[in-house]
Amino acid sequence: MTADIIDGKAFAASVRERVGKQVAKLQAENGLTPGLAVVLVGEDPASLVYVRNKGKSTQEAGMKSEEIRLEASASQEEVLAVVNRLNADPTIHGILVQLPLPDQVDEMAILDAINPEKDVDGFHVINTGRQAVGLPAMVPCTPLGCLMMLQDKLGDLSGLNAVVVGRSNIVGKPMASLLLAQSCTVTIAHSRTRDLPAVCRGADILVAAVGRPEMIRGDWVKPGAAVIDVGINRIEKEDGKTKLVGDVCFSEASEVAGAITPVPGGVGPMTIACLLANTVTAACRQAGIEEPAV
Ligand code: GUN
């Protein structure tokens, strides 16, 4: 093994600790308790786990946490009514509607209804646009967590070749936009990309967000590159038990890369930590106060 392992779990713990201190300061000095509401429609098992973890971490950071559960059969109007109520609630500074939503609910219409100032997911087109042109915006949590780990490892990213594999609205596109804002030369690769291994081999920074277990092999990685694996895939082992793997073949890539995130324990923990940080940012902006330095 040659690569440094980027410890997302430890990094996330340090971010959560900082957020906890910020919350304590806001409460003591401004009488402000940031509040985060998470809306879950239906019973998707993975979403249930995520939502429970988000609620727990929010409370641990000293913030107000509200969880709203709706039946899988909920109508678009019912979901919209919840979003509108939360938009109007002054004790709630962040709203997250867990995706995916059931088929009868129009995802874009729901995301569009969230007050952009409370959009801690950063999925509203206003935040997407503001981030793209360099205005203050809420930034999607997973790409933000990836960027923080890259900057921590590499320092200035300016001029580096970054390849983002995957073009989703949640990860691929905002990740590319954030890297461009750091003056990387950015390529977004996807399922139609020709000679994907060769494209990946040009990357100083390789971000994998495709949802295909271990698709990116060791010989796709440029020696010394920083590899960020956003994938979380559950696969069956030979003994019938299951395990989590990323979109990168870790055993191969870690022999070639300079630094790499493991799965689990890499990107995943950073996402929730960034959600908490975004909630503090949103609360401060809504209250018209500076984010406390701690
Ligand atoms: N589902 C999977 N990831 C996410 C996320 O980052 N935000 C929301 N709202 N739903 C998700």
Side-chain angles (χ1 to χ4, degrees):
M1 169 111 48
T2 59
D4 289 344
I5 307 301
I6 301 174
D7 188 345
K9 207 170 156 190
F11 197 168
S14 72
V15 174
R16 289 206 312 268
E17 191 186 327
R18 194 191 71 220
V19 169
K21 286 183 185 159
Q22 286 181 305
V23 171
K25 218 166 176 182
L26 285 170
Q27 284 167 334
E29 293 176 11
N30 306 90
L32 175 64
T33 300
L36 172 66
V38 176
V39 182
L40 175 62
V41 186
E43 307 262 332
D44 176 64
S47 294
L48 272 168
V49 174
Y50 290 141
V51 166
R52 205 173 305 135
N53 286 340
K54 284 170 189 163
K56 191 165 155 265
S57 304
T58 309
Q59 284 172 352
E60 277 169 8
M63 297 195 246
K64 171 178 166 164
S65 166
E66 188 172 339
E67 190 181 309
I68 295 108
R69 299 268 303 269
L70 295 174
E71 302 275 328
S73 59
S75 67
Q76 168 119 349
E77 289 66 35
E78 284 174 275
V79 184
L80 274 178
V82 169
V83 168
N84 288 332
R85 172 175 75 71
L86 296 169
N87 278 341
D89 184 341
T91 70
I92 293 296
H93 306 93
I95 303 170
L96 181 147
V97 179
Q98 184 69 28
L99 304 178
L101 288 166
D103 290 347
Q104 75 275 12
V105 182
D106 177 351
E107 208 159 275
M108 288 311 277
I110 299 299
L111 297 181
D112 192 48
I114 296 172
N115 175 351
E117 291 195 339
K118 296 191 176 187
D119 170 37
V120 283
D121 253 332
F123 293 164
H124 194 290
V125 288
I126 292 217
N127 282 314
T128 310
R130 289 179 67 90
Q131 193 275 323
V133 298
L135 287 169
M138 300 309 303
V139 176
C141 305
T142 300
L144 181 58
C146 295
L147 180 66
M148 287 166 72
M149 290 191 287
L150 284 167
Q151 288 178 318
D152 185 60
K153 194 80 220 164
L154 302 176
D156 183 13
L157 308 183
S158 173
L160 296 178
N161 279 333
V163 173
V164 180
V165 189
R167 54 175 154 177
S168 71
N169 290 337
I170 292 182
V171 183
K173 285 183 209 163
M175 185 77 248
S177 187
L178 285 178
L179 290 165
L180 182 61
Q182 296 303 315
S183 302
C184 291
T185 302
V186 183
T187 303
I188 305 181
H190 47 77
S191 53
R192 300 287 179 91
T193 297
R194 291 187 190 166
D195 200 354
L196 182 57
V199 172
C200 292
R201 273 193 288 272
D204 304 305
I205 293 171
L206 181 59
V207 181
V210 272
R212 299 257 218 102
E214 299 180 323
M215 184 180 92
I216 292 175
R217 314 305 306 193
D219 63 356
W220 299 23
V221 175
K222 179 177 175 175
V227 178
I228 304 290
D229 191 351
V230 182
I232 302 177
N233 310 286
R234 189 166 286 284
I235 61 164
E236 197 164 314
K237 292 189 291 183
E238 278 163 16
D239 62 7
K241 293 186 180 154
T242 64
K243 67 168 180 173
L244 289 180
V245 297
D247 292 346
V248 177
C249 178
F250 183 85
S251 59
E252 293 177 9
S254 57
E255 295 291 338
V256 187
I260 188 167
T261 58
V263 176
V267 174
M270 284 299 286
T271 298
I272 291 187
C274 289
L275 175 66
L276 302 180
N278 274 356
T279 304
V280 168
T281 302
C284 291
R285 285 184 188 162
Q286 285 160 52
I289 54 183
E290 288 248 334
E291 243 181 87
V294 289

Coordinates of all heavy atoms in Angstrom, one line a residue, residues 38-39 44 47 50-51 54 95-101 111 114 119-123 140-143 170-171 271 275, ligand 1:
V38 N -35.9 17.5 8.9 CA -35.7 16.5 7.8 C -37.1 15.9 7.5 O -37.8 15.4 8.4 CB -34.7 15.4 8.3 CG1 -34.6 14.3 7.3 CG2 -33.3 16.1 8.6
V39 N -37.4 15.9 6.2 CA -38.7 15.3 5.8 C -38.4 14.0 5.1 O -37.6 13.9 4.2 CB -39.4 16.3 4.9 CG1 -40.8 15.7 4.5 CG2 -39.5 17.7 5.5
D44 N -38.2 3.8 2.8 CA -37.0 3.3 2.1 C -36.0 3.0 3.2 O -35.6 3.9 4.0 CB -36.4 4.3 1.1 CG -35.1 3.8 0.5 OD1 -35.1 2.8 -0.1 OD2 -34.1 4.5 0.8
S47 N -32.9 5.3 3.4 CA -33.3 6.6 3.8 C -33.6 6.7 5.3 O -33.2 7.7 6.0 CB -34.5 7.1 3.0 OG -34.1 7.2 1.6
Y50 N -30.3 7.0 7.1 CA -29.7 8.3 7.0 C -30.5 9.3 7.8 O -29.8 10.1 8.5 CB -29.8 8.8 5.5 CG -29.0 8.0 4.5 CD1 -29.4 7.7 3.3 CD2 -27.7 7.7 4.9 CE1 -28.6 7.1 2.4 CE2 -26.9 7.0 4.0 CZ -27.4 6.7 2.7 OH -26.6 6.0 1.8
V51 N -31.8 9.3 7.8 CA -32.6 10.3 8.5 C -32.4 10.2 10.0 O -32.2 11.2 10.7 CB -34.1 10.2 8.1 CG1 -35.0 11.0 9.1 CG2 -34.3 10.6 6.7
K54 N -29.0 11.6 10.8 CA -29.0 13.1 10.8 C -29.6 13.7 12.0 O -29.1 14.6 12.6 CB -29.8 13.6 9.5 CG -29.1 13.4 8.2 CD -30.0 13.6 7.0 CE -29.2 13.2 5.7 NZ -30.1 13.0 4.6
I95 N -34.0 23.0 5.9 CA -35.0 22.0 5.5 C -34.3 21.1 4.6 O -33.7 21.5 3.6 CB -36.2 22.7 4.8 CG1 -36.8 23.8 5.7 CG2 -37.2 21.6 4.4 CD1 -37.8 24.6 5.0
L96 N -34.4 19.8 4.9 CA -33.9 18.7 4.0 C -35.0 17.7 3.7 O -35.6 17.2 4.6 CB -32.7 18.0 4.6 CG -32.0 16.9 3.8 CD1 -30.6 16.9 4.2 CD2 -32.6 15.6 4.1
V97 N -35.4 17.6 2.4 CA -36.4 16.6 2.0 C -35.6 15.4 1.5 O -34.9 15.6 0.5 CB -37.3 17.2 1.0 CG1 -38.3 16.1 0.5 CG2 -38.1 18.4 1.5
Q98 N -35.6 14.3 2.2 CA -34.8 13.2 1.8 C -35.2 12.6 0.4 O -36.4 12.4 0.1 CB -34.9 12.1 2.9 CG -34.1 10.8 2.6 CD -32.6 11.1 2.8 OE1 -32.2 12.0 3.6 NE2 -31.7 10.4 2.1
L99 N -34.2 12.4 -0.4 CA -34.5 11.9 -1.8 C -34.0 10.4 -1.8 O -33.2 10.0 -1.0 CB -33.7 12.7 -2.8 CG -33.9 14.2 -2.9 CD1 -33.0 14.8 -3.9 CD2 -35.4 14.5 -3.1
P100 N -34.6 9.6 -2.6 CA -35.6 9.8 -3.6 C -37.0 10.0 -3.0 O -37.2 9.4 -1.9 CB -35.5 8.6 -4.5 CG -35.0 7.5 -3.6 CD -34.2 8.1 -2.6
L101 N -37.9 10.7 -3.7 CA -39.3 10.8 -3.3 C -40.1 9.7 -4.1 O -39.7 9.4 -5.2 CB -39.8 12.2 -3.6 CG -39.2 13.3 -2.7 CD1 -39.5 14.6 -3.2 CD2 -39.8 13.1 -1.3
L111 N -38.3 20.6 -4.4 CA -37.0 21.3 -4.1 C -37.2 22.8 -4.4 O -36.6 23.6 -3.7 CB -35.9 20.7 -5.0 CG -35.5 19.2 -4.7 CD1 -34.4 18.7 -5.5 CD2 -35.2 19.0 -3.2
I114 N -38.7 24.9 -1.5 CA -38.0 25.2 -0.3 C -37.4 26.6 -0.4 O -36.8 27.0 -1.4 CB -36.9 24.1 -0.1 CG1 -37.4 22.7 0.1 CG2 -35.9 24.5 1.1 CD1 -36.4 21.6 0.1
D119 N -32.3 26.1 2.3 CA -32.0 24.9 1.5 C -30.6 24.4 1.9 O -29.6 24.6 1.1 CB -32.1 25.3 0.0 CG -31.6 24.3 -0.9 OD1 -31.7 23.1 -0.7 OD2 -30.9 24.7 -1.9
V120 N -30.5 23.7 3.0 CA -29.2 23.2 3.5 C -28.6 22.1 2.6 O -27.4 21.8 2.7 CB -29.2 22.8 4.9 CG1 -29.2 24.0 5.9 CG2 -30.4 21.9 5.2
D121 N -29.4 21.5 1.7 CA -28.9 20.6 0.7 C -28.3 21.2 -0.4 O -27.5 20.6 -1.2 CB -30.1 19.8 0.2 CG -30.2 18.3 0.7 OD1 -29.1 17.8 1.0 OD2 -31.3 17.8 0.7
G122 N -28.6 22.5 -0.6 CA -28.0 23.3 -1.8 C -28.5 22.8 -3.1 O -27.9 22.9 -4.1
F123 N -29.8 22.2 -3.1 CA -30.3 21.6 -4.4 C -31.2 22.6 -5.1 O -31.6 22.3 -6.3 CB -31.1 20.3 -4.1 CG -30.3 19.2 -3.6 CD1 -30.9 18.1 -3.0 CD2 -28.9 19.2 -3.8 CE1 -30.1 17.0 -2.6 CE2 -28.1 18.1 -3.3 CZ -28.8 17.0 -2.7
P140 N -24.1 21.9 -1.8 CA -24.5 20.5 -1.5 C -23.4 19.8 -0.6 O -22.2 19.9 -0.8 CB -24.6 19.8 -2.8 CG -25.0 20.9 -3.7 CD -24.3 22.1 -3.2
C141 N -23.9 19.0 0.4 CA -23.1 18.5 1.5 C -22.0 17.5 1.0 O -20.9 17.6 1.5 CB -24.0 17.9 2.6 SG -25.3 19.0 3.2
T142 N -22.4 16.6 0.2 CA -21.4 15.6 -0.2 C -20.2 16.2 -1.0 O -19.1 16.0 -0.6 CB -22.1 14.4 -1.0 OG1 -23.1 13.8 -0.1 CG2 -21.1 13.4 -1.4
P143 N -20.5 17.0 -2.0 CA -19.4 17.6 -2.7 C -18.6 18.5 -1.8 O -17.3 18.6 -1.9 CB -20.0 18.4 -3.8 CG -21.4 17.9 -4.0 CD -21.8 17.3 -2.7
I170 N -26.9 15.8 -7.6 CA -26.6 15.7 -6.1 C -25.0 15.8 -5.9 O -24.6 16.4 -5.0 CB -27.2 14.5 -5.5 CG1 -28.7 14.6 -5.4 CG2 -26.6 14.3 -4.1 CD1 -29.4 13.4 -4.7
V171 N -24.3 15.1 -6.8 CA -22.8 15.0 -6.5 C -22.0 15.5 -7.7 O -21.2 16.4 -7.6 CB -22.4 13.6 -6.1 CG1 -20.9 13.6 -5.8 CG2 -23.1 13.0 -4.9
T271 N -20.6 13.9 4.9 CA -21.8 14.5 4.4 C -22.7 15.1 5.5 O -23.1 16.2 5.5 CB -22.6 13.4 3.6 OG1 -21.8 13.1 2.5 CG2 -23.9 14.0 3.1
L275 N -23.7 18.9 6.5 CA -25.1 19.3 6.7 C -25.3 20.1 8.0 O -26.0 21.2 8.0 CB -26.0 18.0 6.8 CG -27.5 18.3 7.1 CD1 -28.1 19.0 5.9 CD2 -28.2 16.9 7.3
Ligands
GUN1 N1 -30.5 11.1 -0.7 C1 -29.2 10.7 -0.9 N2 -28.3 11.7 -0.7 C2 -29.1 12.8 -0.3 C3 -28.7 14.1 0.1 O1 -27.5 14.5 0.1 N3 -29.8 14.9 0.3 C4 -31.1 14.5 0.2 N4 -32.0 15.4 0.5 N5 -31.4 13.3 -0.1 C5 -30.4 12.4 -0.4

